[in-house]
Amino acid sequence: MARLATVLSGLACLALVIFFLSTISSFRSSNISFKQPVAVPAESQQDPAESIYPSSPNCASWKSWWHPQRVEEDAQDTPSKTWNLLYHLGGNGPWIEKTDGVLPGGIGPPDGCVVDQVHMLSRHAERYPTQTAGARMLALLSRLKTSNSTLQAPLSFLPNWQFFASEADFEQLISTGPYAGTLESFSTGVKLRTRYQHLLSPNKTNFWASSSPRVVATARIFAAGFFGPVWRENATLHIIPETSDRGADTLTPGDSCKKFKTDTEKGHEYGAHMLAMFRETYLKTTAERLAKYNPGLKLSVEELYTMQEMCGFETLVRGKSPWCNVFTHSEWDAFEYARDVIHYYRSGPGNPYGPSIGLPLLKATTSLLQRGPSAGSLFLSFAHDGDIAPYLAALSIFRDSPLPTTKIAASRQWRMSQVLPMGGRLIFERLSCKAGAFVRVNINDGIVPLPGCNGGPGGSCPLEEWVKAVEKRELGIKKFGDACGVDGKGEVEFLHQ
């Protein structure tokens, strides 16, 4: 059975790739440049899944694909429990399943229940570095290649290594290689159609994306997989501007929260400040270790962190990266935590503005869950990782003491590698069961219990208790307008069918 499941999964993946390639021409309006793949040095050519992941995340494992005949005996097809680099890239790696803190039993509907409404908030798919991060990478490479030093292992690969992107690629979806964002977007659409096709409406379905080109492209390519190649006949994409005048009626509330942007101490830059503090605890030791092999080479903490970032982004483009081997497992554990710290304090639970800017969307979603399928069955939205973190903060599903910057909080629940990878998605499923209506949280194909409210079928929360939990959270959170220093548009209004 396991071998048959593997064969079927492989055939499904091949079919997705063939269908995706046949529909690429319909995406020219998404500003994606489908150019020839970047030339890859011989040392970088290998099976993209080799030593990294049992099966490519772009072709979901048998566990990820919900199938009515799937049983727990298929557990041997799940991702390995051994140390896996993709689970330590802190959002700079490809989509992965959430495996920590998830409930057993799979992601199919509990016995006696059907999903009658779905709310998804998804990060854009795999992309190249941002302009800021890319500029740091190019500056570092320029300094290293003009240092006139003969680099020794583990940096000896650098003289023959080529950068994995052009400056024109920065910020855009990756369209080549094993972890192409274009392929991930499409295959995710097909995966979710497989799961939720019974919710498709004969009328056009509204769905939403923030206005960043990579977010819009993700939504459009996803739509081809979910609604079909001629998706515009079945759905309407509404692009929500990432502008400061939207108030709370937006997918990017951090851009419209005035105080969040201008507060230099506890606003948007708070995360970067806390990240800088933690990086000092482990990368100074890394610099000393590398200096033993390369005497005279002085690397700053920021430069070493940039090297770790290049590992993730080159892996997205080429399937592997020699930069990954520069660092030890413990240094990758620390990098993962560093990325958790920046999200926690930039717009997550550790930022005083985080819950306030995430609450309006949570309230709007909860209102629709109360109304049920009569309000619509599918609510699919696309944004950035920094817009999902406040949503999680408002929900308070991951509850930790404030993350320290002097050591790794090993027992933390806030692990963003598994929550906000490229293409990461948070899904609320409204379940109609014999005992009533319930809400279940699915994060990257793992069912996550809401603390204090998970006694329903399959670890779900009774809808009435969900509403009470959100109302209780609201009492302890500043309203959007008060927290942000803006008037009007304090609620989400765009979210409707």
Side-chain angles (χ1 to χ4, degrees):
M1 288 297 294
R3 178 172 296 180
L4 176 60
T6 301
V7 171
L8 291 173
S9 181
L11 290 173
C13 178
L14 179 60
L16 282 177
V17 173
I18 294 172
F19 187 64
F20 172 75
L21 292 175
S22 71
T23 59
I24 280 179
S25 61
S26 68
F27 304 135
R28 289 177 179 171
S29 62
S30 65
N31 297 321
I32 299 282
S33 175
F34 292 94
K35 59 187 180 182
Q36 292 298 316
V38 176
V40 180
E43 65 177 348
S44 296
Q45 295 175 351
Q46 70 163 29
D47 178 358
E50 181 183 341
S51 302
I52 295 178
Y53 202 84
S55 61
S56 172
N58 295 309
C59 300
S61 69
W62 187 246
K63 177 181 178 182
S64 294
W65 278 85
W66 176 74
H67 189 282
Q69 296 178 348
R70 185 191 147 231
V71 292
E72 286 305 298
E73 284 72 19
D74 290 316
Q76 63 264 31
D77 292 319
T78 64
S80 172
K81 293 293 185 182
T82 59
W83 195 92
N84 183 332
L85 176 62
L86 298 189
Y87 281 76
H88 302 273
L89 294 177
N92 290 343
W95 183 88
I96 52 176
E97 288 182 44
K98 182 166 174 52
T99 58
D100 288 343
V102 300
L103 296 173
I107 58 178
D111 290 342
C113 302
V114 295
V115 177
D116 64 12
Q117 191 182 75
V118 164
H119 297 263
M120 181 186 76
L121 181 58
S122 174
R123 186 187 181 190
H124 57 73
E126 289 81 349
R127 62 160 171 80
Y128 289 99
T130 61
Q131 294 283 353
T132 301
R136 286 201 311 270
M137 294 173 187
L138 293 175
L140 169 62
L141 294 172
S142 177
R143 189 176 84 78
L144 291 177
K145 291 190 175 184
T146 58
S147 65
N148 296 320
S149 299
T150 302
L151 297 174
Q152 304 299 320
L155 296 172
S156 57
F157 68 88
L158 190 56
N160 297 318
W161 181 80
Q162 296 178 358
F163 193 53
F164 50 84
S166 68
E167 292 187 59
D169 291 323
F170 293 160
E171 308 271 353
Q172 305 303 313
L173 286 191
I174 295 170
S175 58
T176 60
Y179 300 119
T182 48
L183 179 58
E184 174 64 28
S185 302
F186 180 79
S187 61
T188 297
V190 175
K191 181 193 299 186
L192 296 191
R193 181 185 178 95
T194 303
R195 202 174 294 168
Y196 302 127
Q197 59 186 308
H198 65 287
L199 299 178
L200 290 169
S201 170
N203 301 316
K204 277 194 171 185
T205 298
N206 294 322
F207 68 115
W208 302 268
S210 66
S211 59
S212 167
R214 61 181 176 270
V215 178
V216 173
T218 297
R220 286 174 173 163
I221 300 174
F222 168 92
F226 189 83
F227 296 108
V230 288
W231 61 266
R232 289 177 178 84
E233 295 180 4
N234 304 311
T236 301
L237 174 60
H238 299 271
I239 299 174
I240 309 299
E242 299 182 11
T243 53
S244 60
D245 61 345
R246 294 288 304 186
D249 190 27
T250 180
L251 284 168
T252 53
D255 291 330
S256 53
C257 181
K258 181 179 178 181
K259 288 185 178 180
F260 178 66
K261 294 191 296 181
T262 59
D263 185 342
T264 57
E265 182 179 354
K266 292 295 182 70
H268 181 270
E269 297 306 314
Y270 187 30
H273 172 67
M274 300 299 274
L275 167 67
M277 292 176 63
F278 175 72
R279 287 191 310 200
E280 296 287 329
T281 67
Y282 78 99
L283 287 176
K284 284 187 175 180
T285 303
T286 305
E288 294 171 359
R289 177 175 62 82
L290 294 178
K292 293 179 182 179
Y293 302 101
N294 296 276
L297 178 62
K298 294 182 179 181
L299 294 168
S300 69
V301 165
E302 184 178 51
E303 288 175 327
L304 290 165
Y305 184 79
T306 297
M307 291 179 181
Q308 290 189 295
E309 289 183 306
M310 282 197 287
C311 160
F313 283 104
E314 186 180 14
T315 297
L316 291 178
V317 178
R318 293 173 174 164
K320 64 172 287 187
S321 171
W323 292 105
C324 303
N325 296 325
V326 173
F327 301 93
T328 65
H329 282 193
S330 62
E331 288 164 346
W332 282 117
D333 290 340
F335 178 78
E336 176 194 3
Y337 184 71
R339 299 292 301 170
D340 291 342
V341 166
I342 191 172
H343 281 295
Y344 185 84
Y345 288 105
R346 183 170 64 187
S347 59
N351 188 292
Y353 297 93
S356 294
I357 62 179
L359 184 62
L361 184 57
L362 178 61
K363 287 177 59 181
T365 301
T366 298
S367 176
L368 291 166
L369 288 167
Q370 284 183 281
R371 293 169 59 191
S374 63
S377 297
L378 290 167
F379 297 86
L380 311 172
S381 301
F382 299 83
H384 304 271
D385 54 358
D387 306 310
I388 301 174
Y391 197 46
L392 294 169
L395 182 61
S396 190
I397 193 168
F398 302 120
R399 300 178 182 178
D400 296 290
S401 299
L403 298 187
T405 57
T406 56
K407 62 179 182 179
I408 296 176
S411 60
R412 71 194 181 280
Q413 297 182 47
W414 185 263
R415 294 178 180 270
M416 294 299 99
S417 287
Q418 296 189 35
V419 176
L420 294 176
M422 302 289 183
R425 54 187 178 269
L426 170 63
I427 296 177
F428 295 161
E429 295 175 326
R430 187 183 189 277
L431 301 174
S432 177
C433 308
K434 295 177 181 178
F438 299 82
V439 181
R440 190 171 68 160
V441 180
N442 180 325
I443 300 178
N444 295 327
D445 290 355
I447 303 302
V448 180
L450 182 67
C453 190
N454 50 62
S460 61
C461 175
L463 178 58
E464 291 183 1
E465 293 183 28
W466 175 280
V467 173
K468 291 178 181 178
V470 172
E471 290 175 346
K472 184 178 180 179
R473 279 292 292 159
E474 184 180 1
L475 293 175
I477 298 174
K478 278 188 178 182
K479 291 184 177 180
F480 182 89
D482 295 337
C484 297
V486 296
D487 296 325
K489 293 186 179 179
E491 297 181 353
V492 170
E493 299 175 357
F494 68 82
L495 195 67
H496 59 82
Q497 292 296 347

